Every structure is written in structure tokens, then in C-alpha cells.
Amino acid sequence: MTDAAEVLGADLHLELTGAGSRRAVLIRALREAVRSGRLAPGTRLPPYRSLAADLGVARNTVADAYAELVAEGWLTSRQGSGTRVAERVATPEPERAPRDTARPLPYDLVQGKPDPAAFPRTAWLASARRALTAAPHEAFGIGDPRGRVELRRELAAYLARVRGVRTGQDRIVVCSGAAHALRLLARVVPGPWAVEAYGLPFHRGLLAEAGIRTVPVAVDEDGARPGEIPRGPRAVLLTPAHQFPTGGPLHPERRAAAVDWARATGGFVLEDDYDGEFRYDRRPVGALQGLAPDRVVLIGSVSKSLSPTLRIGWMVLPGALTDGVLAAKGEREPYSSATEQLTLADFLASGAYDRHVRRMRRRHRERRDRLVAVLAERVPGVRVTGIAAGLHAVVELPPGTEAAALAAAARHGVAVEGLGGYRHPDAVSRSGGVGGVGGGGVREGDGLVVGYATPPERLYGGALDALCNALHTALR
């Protein structure tokens, strides 16, 4: 019969090398493990029988080694508590990795980040319990590169109901977020790609790393201008629900023009649906994908609606791209966690996701309204735009003041980004003033991109005060 101590004892790796008896070698190995810090003060050692069985030595050899080290003060032994590394044993300080000594600014108004405290822990935990209880055994084996069928089925139903998407579960591929989706698509859809003249530099950078050259397309208050896509691009990356970061949905005529361009050229529209669920002062705008499922790729994720740490996104693909994307993804890696996919599937099916989005929509709208009201009262010289949807607003500034505003914000403890940082480096601007349209694709003028979702409630008022003080400093 197997000894209970042998079964229940903790594992401990020791190298029994060198001259001397087994007892002496064991004592030396234990001393070195403690001295080096590998066994920290308070660590409980395995029972005699367990360690003896693992090391292939007699039980008395381990008992004698423990007893000697207790006598020397390296270990302690107490009835009911077992044998532990003595608390007063000096161990070396762990080597510290070099770090940035700059302290983070106290007020975080950087766009695109939900408040971590708003994550629905109780509802998510309930979904996790139900999902893991109901999960088939095969869910814990090697997965399908398309993602868990339970999640793809719920996503197909949810996206059809909420975003007007036309698809089946077999055309949905789960990925780890929008960036992962773009990396996969870059391996399937050759360049160059057309992109909006304002957009995430990170996305342009990862496309460049994948060998995809990007060409800017004009942007104004009605979104991108697909009629001005030059000849050559095989895809156009758009944010139709809410142009990022300038704001505003893509005008209906331009939605149709984007689809016409794709059909005429054989290209694809890549629709980044990054905050289509968060709209405040307008009727819901359906996904562009619903107009042309054969030419539009819908890209979505839960990074802003729930948390970026979940690393769950999806692509709704035309049939012509599905096999290529699956081949690019590979048979094993990188996959999103199957347990989190199952949990999200239950979260969607139970209605918890809808309830969370509605709750966060109310909260974000209240925060946006506070931002607009405070700026109107205290800094009436600026204009706030792009506020009908999303998690940020653009504070338009007089020409030539953006750098000063960013510097003043940092001095007042506010982390915020400038509008100029989102501009495509190849975009050429012409006259037109703030809110105008540059002939090479950009609206002119300086501005700040102010996120209002991240700060905890207790800091939001202070963040708005600091922002107003910074703008006063920069604009006086």
C-alpha cells in the first residue's frame, strides 16, 4: 500500500552530488537551497517518507539530516506544523530587474481603457461556474483553430441581433484581439492596404512589420472618404461605427461607396467595430458587414466592453478568406483560453453581457456629459467633438497649441494623448482650419484625445480639474 505521506508530500528538487555519506550530501544540499534563497524562510519541507521516496534514500537519512539542520538553526520543527525553513535565516536579496524610475501620472485620461474596477466579477464568476460544469471533456484538449463552438454560436446570434451582422458560426474565427486579427489578415490579404488618415499608430506599425504598406484615406466629420481610395490597395481598414479617433459614424452614402469599391476591385473592407456598442446621442448604426458579407471582414473584441486582459476577439469572415485565415492561425497556437471562451459564451447566453453593456453605456454617458459640461464652463475657448459614441472625446485646440497642452497636462499630473499622434505620416494637409479636410486626407488643427472611461470615480473629478488647469496654462 502506498504511504499517505509519500502521496501527499510536496515536491522538492535537490541535487545529491559530491563526496561523503548520503546523510552528509543531503545536509549540504539542503543548506545550499536555503542559503541561496531557493527555499525561502517559512517554506514547509516534505515529510521524511515523502522526500526519502523521491530521493531514493532511507527514511532515517532524511530524519537525521532534518534533525541536524534544526540543531544548527537552519530549520525549525514543531508538532503539527512539520519541518520548515527557519524565519530568521538570512537569504540573499533577489536581483531586481531594471525599471523605469518615472512615476505614472495620477490622472489617466488616455483613450481606449475601461475602468478595471468596473469588471463584472460576480456575474463573470457565475458564468465561469456554469460553463465549466457543463463543458464537455474535449473542451480541455487540443482546440479547434476557429475557437470554441459554444462561443461562435453565441457570437453569431448576438452580432446578428445587436449589430445586424449576417453570418453563421462557421464563418467566425476567435482570436486574441483586434491586433491578432490584423496580423492574421496581413498574411492572407496582400498589400498595400488603405487606412484612415487618423488611426492607431500601433495598427500601422504591426502592418508595417508584416510587410503591408499603408496608404492614407481622407477623413472628415462624416468619416472616411472611400471615393478617394487610390488605385492599388487590396483592402481598406475602416472604423465605420465611430471613426477613430476623430468621432462620427461613416455616412450612409460612404458606407455604400466602400462596398462598391470592394466589389469593383475585388478587395475587402476590414471593419474595426471597436466601440459600436457604446453610442449615446444617436440611433444604433448597424455593422457595415451586413451590407456585403462576401466583401467585409468584421473585427471585434471585448477589450473595451469587458477587459483587455481576457484576450478574446473575433473575425466574421467572407467565405473566400476563411480557409486562409485558419491556415495562418495554425493548428495549435496562438489560441485564446478555452475556459474563458466558454465563460464568455455563457455570459452572452445568460444576458449578463447585455446588462453589463447597458450599465457601462449609462456610466460612460454620464462621464462624457461631465467632461463636456466642465470644459464648457471653465475652458469655453475649446470645442469638444466626437462625443456621440465611444470612450473618448476630442478637445480641439487653436493651431500650434497641442504640444504646449500636452506638456502642461503632464505637469498637472494628467496622462493624455495629442490628436497629432494618430495622424498617418504620409497624410498631406491643406488649408481648412480646425474640423476642415486636408486634401491628402486629414482634418487640420491641434487637439487632445481625452479618454473618460479609465479613472475610478473618486479620481474623475480631480482629473477634470487638472485637465482644465492644464488647458488654462497652455492657452493663456
mmCIF file with all atom_site columns, all heavy atoms in Angstrom, residues 247-271:
data_model
loop_
_atom_site.group_PDB
_atom_site.id
_atom_site.type_symbol
_atom_site.label_atom_id
_atom_site.label_alt_id
_atom_site.label_comp_id
_atom_site.label_asym_id
_atom_site.label_entity_id
_atom_site.label_seq_id
_atom_site.pdbx_PDB_ins_code
_atom_site.Cartn_x
_atom_site.Cartn_y
_atom_site.Cartn_z
_atom_site.occupancy
_atom_site.B_iso_or_equiv
_atom_site.pdbx_formal_charge
_atom_site.auth_seq_id
_atom_site.auth_comp_id
_atom_site.auth_asym_id
_atom_site.auth_atom_id
_atom_site.pdbx_PDB_model_num
ATOM 1   N N   . GLY A 1 247 ? -14.103 60.684 -34.361 1.00 0.00 ? 247 GLY A N   1
ATOM 2   C CA  . GLY A 1 247 ? -15.506 60.578 -33.995 1.00 0.00 ? 247 GLY A CA  1
ATOM 3   C C   . GLY A 1 247 ? -16.427 60.649 -35.189 1.00 0.00 ? 247 GLY A C   1
ATOM 4   O O   . GLY A 1 247 ? -16.067 61.085 -36.283 1.00 0.00 ? 247 GLY A O   1
ATOM 5   N N   . GLY A 1 248 ? -17.663 60.185 -34.993 1.00 0.00 ? 248 GLY A N   1
ATOM 6   C CA  . GLY A 1 248 ? -18.668 60.241 -36.038 1.00 0.00 ? 248 GLY A CA  1
ATOM 7   C C   . GLY A 1 248 ? -18.777 58.940 -36.803 1.00 0.00 ? 248 GLY A C   1
ATOM 8   O O   . GLY A 1 248 ? -17.761 58.312 -37.126 1.00 0.00 ? 248 GLY A O   1
ATOM 9   N N   . PRO A 1 249 ? -20.018 58.509 -37.122 1.00 0.00 ? 249 PRO A N   1
ATOM 10  C CA  . PRO A 1 249 ? -20.194 57.297 -37.919 1.00 0.00 ? 249 PRO A CA  1
ATOM 11  C C   . PRO A 1 249 ? -19.956 57.574 -39.391 1.00 0.00 ? 249 PRO A C   1
ATOM 12  O O   . PRO A 1 249 ? -20.039 58.718 -39.853 1.00 0.00 ? 249 PRO A O   1
ATOM 13  C CB  . PRO A 1 249 ? -21.669 56.935 -37.666 1.00 0.00 ? 249 PRO A CB  1
ATOM 14  C CG  . PRO A 1 249 ? -22.334 58.255 -37.417 1.00 0.00 ? 249 PRO A CG  1
ATOM 15  C CD  . PRO A 1 249 ? -21.305 59.111 -36.715 1.00 0.00 ? 249 PRO A CD  1
ATOM 16  N N   . LEU A 1 250 ? -19.647 56.543 -40.128 1.00 0.00 ? 250 LEU A N   1
ATOM 17  C CA  . LEU A 1 250 ? -19.462 56.667 -41.567 1.00 0.00 ? 250 LEU A CA  1
ATOM 18  C C   . LEU A 1 250 ? -20.811 56.987 -42.217 1.00 0.00 ? 250 LEU A C   1
ATOM 19  O O   . LEU A 1 250 ? -21.809 56.303 -41.974 1.00 0.00 ? 250 LEU A O   1
ATOM 20  C CB  . LEU A 1 250 ? -18.882 55.369 -42.130 1.00 0.00 ? 250 LEU A CB  1
ATOM 21  C CG  . LEU A 1 250 ? -18.424 55.377 -43.589 1.00 0.00 ? 250 LEU A CG  1
ATOM 22  C CD1 . LEU A 1 250 ? -17.282 56.364 -43.800 1.00 0.00 ? 250 LEU A CD1 1
ATOM 23  C CD2 . LEU A 1 250 ? -17.995 53.970 -44.011 1.00 0.00 ? 250 LEU A CD2 1
ATOM 24  N N   . HIS A 1 251 ? -20.838 58.034 -43.028 1.00 0.00 ? 251 HIS A N   1
ATOM 25  C CA  . HIS A 1 251 ? -22.070 58.483 -43.678 1.00 0.00 ? 251 HIS A CA  1
ATOM 26  C C   . HIS A 1 251 ? -22.651 57.357 -44.537 1.00 0.00 ? 251 HIS A C   1
ATOM 27  O O   . HIS A 1 251 ? -21.913 56.585 -45.161 1.00 0.00 ? 251 HIS A O   1
ATOM 28  C CB  . HIS A 1 251 ? -21.756 59.704 -44.544 1.00 0.00 ? 251 HIS A CB  1
ATOM 29  C CG  . HIS A 1 251 ? -22.967 60.398 -45.066 1.00 0.00 ? 251 HIS A CG  1
ATOM 30  N ND1 . HIS A 1 251 ? -23.654 59.969 -46.185 1.00 0.00 ? 251 HIS A ND1 1
ATOM 31  C CD2 . HIS A 1 251 ? -23.632 61.509 -44.616 1.00 0.00 ? 251 HIS A CD2 1
ATOM 32  C CE1 . HIS A 1 251 ? -24.688 60.770 -46.414 1.00 0.00 ? 251 HIS A CE1 1
ATOM 33  N NE2 . HIS A 1 251 ? -24.688 61.713 -45.475 1.00 0.00 ? 251 HIS A NE2 1
ATOM 34  N N   . PRO A 1 252 ? -24.003 57.228 -44.574 1.00 0.00 ? 252 PRO A N   1
ATOM 35  C CA  . PRO A 1 252 ? -24.614 56.133 -45.350 1.00 0.00 ? 252 PRO A CA  1
ATOM 36  C C   . PRO A 1 252 ? -24.131 56.060 -46.792 1.00 0.00 ? 252 PRO A C   1
ATOM 37  O O   . PRO A 1 252 ? -23.893 54.956 -47.317 1.00 0.00 ? 252 PRO A O   1
ATOM 38  C CB  . PRO A 1 252 ? -26.113 56.458 -45.281 1.00 0.00 ? 252 PRO A CB  1
ATOM 39  C CG  . PRO A 1 252 ? -26.273 57.198 -43.998 1.00 0.00 ? 252 PRO A CG  1
ATOM 40  C CD  . PRO A 1 252 ? -25.015 57.985 -43.823 1.00 0.00 ? 252 PRO A CD  1
ATOM 41  N N   . GLU A 1 253 ? -23.981 57.205 -47.472 1.00 0.00 ? 253 GLU A N   1
ATOM 42  C CA  . GLU A 1 253 ? -23.502 57.167 -48.851 1.00 0.00 ? 253 GLU A CA  1
ATOM 43  C C   . GLU A 1 253 ? -22.079 56.623 -48.930 1.00 0.00 ? 253 GLU A C   1
ATOM 44  O O   . GLU A 1 253 ? -21.717 55.940 -49.892 1.00 0.00 ? 253 GLU A O   1
ATOM 45  C CB  . GLU A 1 253 ? -23.567 58.568 -49.466 1.00 0.00 ? 253 GLU A CB  1
ATOM 46  C CG  . GLU A 1 253 ? -24.985 59.079 -49.693 1.00 0.00 ? 253 GLU A CG  1
ATOM 47  C CD  . GLU A 1 253 ? -25.000 60.449 -50.338 1.00 0.00 ? 253 GLU A CD  1
ATOM 48  O OE1 . GLU A 1 253 ? -23.893 60.983 -50.635 1.00 0.00 ? 253 GLU A OE1 1
ATOM 49  O OE2 . GLU A 1 253 ? -26.097 60.988 -50.544 1.00 0.00 ? 253 GLU A OE2 1
ATOM 50  N N   . ARG A 1 254 ? -21.278 56.918 -47.926 1.00 0.00 ? 254 ARG A N   1
ATOM 51  C CA  . ARG A 1 254 ? -19.903 56.424 -47.927 1.00 0.00 ? 254 ARG A CA  1
ATOM 52  C C   . ARG A 1 254 ? -19.842 54.944 -47.553 1.00 0.00 ? 254 ARG A C   1
ATOM 53  O O   . ARG A 1 254 ? -18.930 54.230 -47.998 1.00 0.00 ? 254 ARG A O   1
ATOM 54  C CB  . ARG A 1 254 ? -19.050 57.271 -46.991 1.00 0.00 ? 254 ARG A CB  1
ATOM 55  C CG  . ARG A 1 254 ? -18.941 58.716 -47.475 1.00 0.00 ? 254 ARG A CG  1
ATOM 56  C CD  . ARG A 1 254 ? -18.030 59.538 -46.605 1.00 0.00 ? 254 ARG A CD  1
ATOM 57  N NE  . ARG A 1 254 ? -17.999 60.923 -47.053 1.00 0.00 ? 254 ARG A NE  1
ATOM 58  C CZ  . ARG A 1 254 ? -17.296 61.878 -46.478 1.00 0.00 ? 254 ARG A CZ  1
ATOM 59  N NH1 . ARG A 1 254 ? -16.537 61.592 -45.417 1.00 0.00 ? 254 ARG A NH1 1
ATOM 60  N NH2 . ARG A 1 254 ? -17.332 63.110 -46.932 1.00 0.00 ? 254 ARG A NH2 1
ATOM 61  N N   . ARG A 1 255 ? -20.778 54.483 -46.745 1.00 0.00 ? 255 ARG A N   1
ATOM 62  C CA  . ARG A 1 255 ? -20.853 53.042 -46.474 1.00 0.00 ? 255 ARG A CA  1
ATOM 63  C C   . ARG A 1 255 ? -21.093 52.295 -47.779 1.00 0.00 ? 255 ARG A C   1
ATOM 64  O O   . ARG A 1 255 ? -20.446 51.280 -48.073 1.00 0.00 ? 255 ARG A O   1
ATOM 65  C CB  . ARG A 1 255 ? -21.962 52.751 -45.454 1.00 0.00 ? 255 ARG A CB  1
ATOM 66  C CG  . ARG A 1 255 ? -21.644 53.249 -44.062 1.00 0.00 ? 255 ARG A CG  1
ATOM 67  C CD  . ARG A 1 255 ? -22.907 53.333 -43.194 1.00 0.00 ? 255 ARG A CD  1
ATOM 68  N NE  . ARG A 1 255 ? -23.507 52.032 -42.935 1.00 0.00 ? 255 ARG A NE  1
ATOM 69  C CZ  . ARG A 1 255 ? -23.222 51.263 -41.895 1.00 0.00 ? 255 ARG A CZ  1
ATOM 70  N NH1 . ARG A 1 255 ? -22.326 51.666 -41.001 1.00 0.00 ? 255 ARG A NH1 1
ATOM 71  N NH2 . ARG A 1 255 ? -23.822 50.111 -41.712 1.00 0.00 ? 255 ARG A NH2 1
ATOM 72  N N   . ALA A 1 256 ? -22.047 52.809 -48.557 1.00 0.00 ? 256 ALA A N   1
ATOM 73  C CA  . ALA A 1 256 ? -22.328 52.174 -49.846 1.00 0.00 ? 256 ALA A CA  1
ATOM 74  C C   . ALA A 1 256 ? -21.131 52.280 -50.776 1.00 0.00 ? 256 ALA A C   1
ATOM 75  O O   . ALA A 1 256 ? -20.809 51.325 -51.515 1.00 0.00 ? 256 ALA A O   1
ATOM 76  C CB  . ALA A 1 256 ? -23.560 52.830 -50.477 1.00 0.00 ? 256 ALA A CB  1
ATOM 77  N N   . ALA A 1 257 ? -20.437 53.425 -50.737 1.00 0.00 ? 257 ALA A N   1
ATOM 78  C CA  . ALA A 1 257 ? -19.269 53.606 -51.608 1.00 0.00 ? 257 ALA A CA  1
ATOM 79  C C   . ALA A 1 257 ? -18.156 52.634 -51.247 1.00 0.00 ? 257 ALA A C   1
ATOM 80  O O   . ALA A 1 257 ? -17.435 52.141 -52.127 1.00 0.00 ? 257 ALA A O   1
ATOM 81  C CB  . ALA A 1 257 ? -18.777 55.047 -51.514 1.00 0.00 ? 257 ALA A CB  1
ATOM 82  N N   . ALA A 1 258 ? -17.972 52.357 -49.955 1.00 0.00 ? 258 ALA A N   1
ATOM 83  C CA  . ALA A 1 258 ? -16.935 51.406 -49.536 1.00 0.00 ? 258 ALA A CA  1
ATOM 84  C C   . ALA A 1 258 ? -17.233 50.010 -50.066 1.00 0.00 ? 258 ALA A C   1
ATOM 85  O O   . ALA A 1 258 ? -16.332 49.298 -50.553 1.00 0.00 ? 258 ALA A O   1
ATOM 86  C CB  . ALA A 1 258 ? -16.826 51.391 -48.009 1.00 0.00 ? 258 ALA A CB  1
ATOM 87  N N   . VAL A 1 259 ? -18.507 49.605 -49.992 1.00 0.00 ? 259 VAL A N   1
ATOM 88  C CA  . VAL A 1 259 ? -18.893 48.292 -50.520 1.00 0.00 ? 259 VAL A CA  1
ATOM 89  C C   . VAL A 1 259 ? -18.713 48.252 -52.032 1.00 0.00 ? 259 VAL A C   1
ATOM 90  O O   . VAL A 1 259 ? -18.214 47.261 -52.596 1.00 0.00 ? 259 VAL A O   1
ATOM 91  C CB  . VAL A 1 259 ? -20.352 47.979 -50.123 1.00 0.00 ? 259 VAL A CB  1
ATOM 92  C CG1 . VAL A 1 259 ? -20.854 46.745 -50.858 1.00 0.00 ? 259 VAL A CG1 1
ATOM 93  C CG2 . VAL A 1 259 ? -20.455 47.773 -48.618 1.00 0.00 ? 259 VAL A CG2 1
ATOM 94  N N   . ASP A 1 260 ? -19.116 49.338 -52.719 1.00 0.00 ? 260 ASP A N   1
ATOM 95  C CA  . ASP A 1 260 ? -18.951 49.395 -54.177 1.00 0.00 ? 260 ASP A CA  1
ATOM 96  C C   . ASP A 1 260 ? -17.480 49.274 -54.562 1.00 0.00 ? 260 ASP A C   1
ATOM 97  O O   . ASP A 1 260 ? -17.135 48.596 -55.543 1.00 0.00 ? 260 ASP A O   1
ATOM 98  C CB  . ASP A 1 260 ? -19.519 50.713 -54.719 1.00 0.00 ? 260 ASP A CB  1
ATOM 99  C CG  . ASP A 1 260 ? -21.034 50.774 -54.635 1.00 0.00 ? 260 ASP A CG  1
ATOM 100 O OD1 . ASP A 1 260 ? -21.664 49.706 -54.452 1.00 0.00 ? 260 ASP A OD1 1
ATOM 101 O OD2 . ASP A 1 260 ? -21.596 51.881 -54.735 1.00 0.00 ? 260 ASP A OD2 1
ATOM 102 N N   . TRP A 1 261 ? -16.598 49.958 -53.787 1.00 0.00 ? 261 TRP A N   1
ATOM 103 C CA  . TRP A 1 261 ? -15.161 49.869 -54.077 1.00 0.00 ? 261 TRP A CA  1
ATOM 104 C C   . TRP A 1 261 ? -14.687 48.423 -53.969 1.00 0.00 ? 261 TRP A C   1
ATOM 105 O O   . TRP A 1 261 ? -13.940 47.928 -54.838 1.00 0.00 ? 261 TRP A O   1
ATOM 106 C CB  . TRP A 1 261 ? -14.374 50.749 -53.096 1.00 0.00 ? 261 TRP A CB  1
ATOM 107 C CG  . TRP A 1 261 ? -12.896 50.528 -53.184 1.00 0.00 ? 261 TRP A CG  1
ATOM 108 C CD1 . TRP A 1 261 ? -12.026 51.129 -54.031 1.00 0.00 ? 261 TRP A CD1 1
ATOM 109 C CD2 . TRP A 1 261 ? -12.123 49.587 -52.411 1.00 0.00 ? 261 TRP A CD2 1
ATOM 110 N NE1 . TRP A 1 261 ? -10.754 50.632 -53.837 1.00 0.00 ? 261 TRP A NE1 1
ATOM 111 C CE2 . TRP A 1 261 ? -10.788 49.687 -52.853 1.00 0.00 ? 261 TRP A CE2 1
ATOM 112 C CE3 . TRP A 1 261 ? -12.442 48.685 -51.385 1.00 0.00 ? 261 TRP A CE3 1
ATOM 113 C CZ2 . TRP A 1 261 ? -9.776  48.920 -52.300 1.00 0.00 ? 261 TRP A CZ2 1
ATOM 114 C CZ3 . TRP A 1 261 ? -11.425 47.907 -50.840 1.00 0.00 ? 261 TRP A CZ3 1
ATOM 115 C CH2 . TRP A 1 261 ? -10.102 48.032 -51.299 1.00 0.00 ? 261 TRP A CH2 1
ATOM 116 N N   . ALA A 1 262 ? -15.104 47.717 -52.900 1.00 0.00 ? 262 ALA A N   1
ATOM 117 C CA  . ALA A 1 262 ? -14.653 46.340 -52.691 1.00 0.00 ? 262 ALA A CA  1
ATOM 118 C C   . ALA A 1 262 ? -15.133 45.435 -53.814 1.00 0.00 ? 262 ALA A C   1
ATOM 119 O O   . ALA A 1 262 ? -14.368 44.594 -54.328 1.00 0.00 ? 262 ALA A O   1
ATOM 120 C CB  . ALA A 1 262 ? -15.152 45.828 -51.339 1.00 0.00 ? 262 ALA A CB  1
ATOM 121 N N   . ARG A 1 263 ? -16.375 45.600 -54.237 1.00 0.00 ? 263 ARG A N   1
ATOM 122 C CA  . ARG A 1 263 ? -16.910 44.736 -55.291 1.00 0.00 ? 263 ARG A CA  1
ATOM 123 C C   . ARG A 1 263 ? -16.268 45.050 -56.646 1.00 0.00 ? 263 ARG A C   1
ATOM 124 O O   . ARG A 1 263 ? -16.016 44.137 -57.444 1.00 0.00 ? 263 ARG A O   1
ATOM 125 C CB  . ARG A 1 263 ? -18.425 44.897 -55.352 1.00 0.00 ? 263 ARG A CB  1
ATOM 126 C CG  . ARG A 1 263 ? -19.116 44.204 -54.177 1.00 0.00 ? 263 ARG A CG  1
ATOM 127 C CD  . ARG A 1 263 ? -20.603 44.339 -54.227 1.00 0.00 ? 263 ARG A CD  1
ATOM 128 N NE  . ARG A 1 263 ? -21.228 43.486 -53.195 1.00 0.00 ? 263 ARG A NE  1
ATOM 129 C CZ  . ARG A 1 263 ? -22.384 43.736 -52.620 1.00 0.00 ? 263 ARG A CZ  1
ATOM 130 N NH1 . ARG A 1 263 ? -23.068 44.823 -52.967 1.00 0.00 ? 263 ARG A NH1 1
ATOM 131 N NH2 . ARG A 1 263 ? -22.877 42.922 -51.702 1.00 0.00 ? 263 ARG A NH2 1
ATOM 132 N N   . ALA A 1 264 ? -15.999 46.313 -56.886 1.00 0.00 ? 264 ALA A N   1
ATOM 133 C CA  . ALA A 1 264 ? -15.421 46.695 -58.173 1.00 0.00 ? 264 ALA A CA  1
ATOM 134 C C   . ALA A 1 264 ? -13.970 46.255 -58.301 1.00 0.00 ? 264 ALA A C   1
ATOM 135 O O   . ALA A 1 264 ? -13.502 45.918 -59.397 1.00 0.00 ? 264 ALA A O   1
ATOM 136 C CB  . ALA A 1 264 ? -15.537 48.203 -58.364 1.00 0.00 ? 264 ALA A CB  1
ATOM 137 N N   . THR A 1 265 ? -13.239 46.253 -57.200 1.00 0.00 ? 265 THR A N   1
ATOM 138 C CA  . THR A 1 265 ? -11.800 45.954 -57.245 1.00 0.00 ? 265 THR A CA  1
ATOM 139 C C   . THR A 1 265 ? -11.467 44.529 -56.823 1.00 0.00 ? 265 THR A C   1
ATOM 140 O O   . THR A 1 265 ? -10.326 44.095 -56.996 1.00 0.00 ? 265 THR A O   1
ATOM 141 C CB  . THR A 1 265 ? -11.028 46.913 -56.326 1.00 0.00 ? 265 THR A CB  1
ATOM 142 O OG1 . THR A 1 265 ? -11.452 46.709 -54.960 1.00 0.00 ? 265 THR A OG1 1
ATOM 143 C CG2 . THR A 1 265 ? -11.270 48.362 -56.724 1.00 0.00 ? 265 THR A CG2 1
ATOM 144 N N   . GLY A 1 266 ? -12.446 43.815 -56.257 1.00 0.00 ? 266 GLY A N   1
ATOM 145 C CA  . GLY A 1 266 ? -12.141 42.502 -55.696 1.00 0.00 ? 266 GLY A CA  1
ATOM 146 C C   . GLY A 1 266 ? -11.418 42.584 -54.368 1.00 0.00 ? 266 GLY A C   1
ATOM 147 O O   . GLY A 1 266 ? -10.868 41.587 -53.888 1.00 0.00 ? 266 GLY A O   1
ATOM 148 N N   . GLY A 1 267 ? -11.413 43.773 -53.773 1.00 0.00 ? 267 GLY A N   1
ATOM 149 C CA  . GLY A 1 267 ? -10.760 43.956 -52.476 1.00 0.00 ? 267 GLY A CA  1
ATOM 150 C C   . GLY A 1 267 ? -11.700 43.662 -51.321 1.00 0.00 ? 267 GLY A C   1
ATOM 151 O O   . GLY A 1 267 ? -12.838 43.201 -51.514 1.00 0.00 ? 267 GLY A O   1
ATOM 152 N N   . PHE A 1 268 ? -11.217 43.941 -50.106 1.00 0.00 ? 268 PHE A N   1
ATOM 153 C CA  . PHE A 1 268 ? -12.008 43.675 -48.903 1.00 0.00 ? 268 PHE A CA  1
ATOM 154 C C   . PHE A 1 268 ? -12.028 44.910 -48.010 1.00 0.00 ? 268 PHE A C   1
ATOM 155 O O   . PHE A 1 268 ? -11.032 45.636 -47.915 1.00 0.00 ? 268 PHE A O   1
ATOM 156 C CB  . PHE A 1 268 ? -11.426 42.496 -48.119 1.00 0.00 ? 268 PHE A CB  1
ATOM 157 C CG  . PHE A 1 268 ? -11.530 41.186 -48.846 1.00 0.00 ? 268 PHE A CG  1
ATOM 158 C CD1 . PHE A 1 268 ? -10.467 40.707 -49.605 1.00 0.00 ? 268 PHE A CD1 1
ATOM 159 C CD2 . PHE A 1 268 ? -12.694 40.440 -48.797 1.00 0.00 ? 268 PHE A CD2 1
ATOM 160 C CE1 . PHE A 1 268 ? -10.565 39.515 -50.296 1.00 0.00 ? 268 PHE A CE1 1
ATOM 161 C CE2 . PHE A 1 268 ? -12.801 39.232 -49.482 1.00 0.00 ? 268 PHE A CE2 1
ATOM 162 C CZ  . PHE A 1 268 ? -11.733 38.773 -50.231 1.00 0.00 ? 268 PHE A CZ  1
ATOM 163 N N   . VAL A 1 269 ? -13.166 45.131 -47.375 1.00 0.00 ? 269 VAL A N   1
ATOM 164 C CA  . VAL A 1 269 ? -13.273 46.144 -46.330 1.00 0.00 ? 269 VAL A CA  1
ATOM 165 C C   . VAL A 1 269 ? -13.050 45.447 -44.994 1.00 0.00 ? 269 VAL A C   1
ATOM 166 O O   . VAL A 1 269 ? -13.729 44.458 -44.684 1.00 0.00 ? 269 VAL A O   1
ATOM 167 C CB  . VAL A 1 269 ? -14.659 46.824 -46.342 1.00 0.00 ? 269 VAL A CB  1
ATOM 168 C CG1 . VAL A 1 269 ? -14.756 47.831 -45.193 1.00 0.00 ? 269 VAL A CG1 1
ATOM 169 C CG2 . VAL A 1 269 ? -14.909 47.507 -47.667 1.00 0.00 ? 269 VAL A CG2 1
ATOM 170 N N   . LEU A 1 270 ? -12.095 45.942 -44.220 1.00 0.00 ? 270 LEU A N   1
ATOM 171 C CA  . LEU A 1 270 ? -11.822 45.395 -42.892 1.00 0.00 ? 270 LEU A CA  1
ATOM 172 C C   . LEU A 1 270 ? -12.456 46.360 -41.892 1.00 0.00 ? 270 LEU A C   1
ATOM 173 O O   . LEU A 1 270 ? -11.981 47.478 -41.710 1.00 0.00 ? 270 LEU A O   1
ATOM 174 C CB  . LEU A 1 270 ? -10.315 45.271 -42.672 1.00 0.00 ? 270 LEU A CB  1
ATOM 175 C CG  . LEU A 1 270 ? -9.540  44.586 -43.810 1.00 0.00 ? 270 LEU A CG  1
ATOM 176 C CD1 . LEU A 1 270 ? -8.061  44.510 -43.477 1.00 0.00 ? 270 LEU A CD1 1
ATOM 177 C CD2 . LEU A 1 270 ? -10.112 43.206 -44.112 1.00 0.00 ? 270 LEU A CD2 1
ATOM 178 N N   . GLU A 1 271 ? -13.534 45.925 -41.263 1.00 0.00 ? 271 GLU A N   1
ATOM 179 C CA  . GLU A 1 271 ? -14.342 46.780 -40.397 1.00 0.00 ? 271 GLU A CA  1
ATOM 180 C C   . GLU A 1 271 ? -13.949 46.568 -38.938 1.00 0.00 ? 271 GLU A C   1
ATOM 181 O O   . GLU A 1 271 ? -14.266 45.543 -38.342 1.00 0.00 ? 271 GLU A O   1
ATOM 182 C CB  . GLU A 1 271 ? -15.825 46.469 -40.590 1.00 0.00 ? 271 GLU A CB  1
ATOM 183 C CG  . GLU A 1 271 ? -16.744 47.289 -39.708 1.00 0.00 ? 271 GLU A CG  1
ATOM 184 C CD  . GLU A 1 271 ? -18.211 46.971 -39.947 1.00 0.00 ? 271 GLU A CD  1
ATOM 185 O OE1 . GLU A 1 271 ? -18.508 45.973 -40.633 1.00 0.00 ? 271 GLU A OE1 1
ATOM 186 O OE2 . GLU A 1 271 ? -19.067 47.724 -39.430 1.00 0.00 ? 271 GLU A OE2 1
#
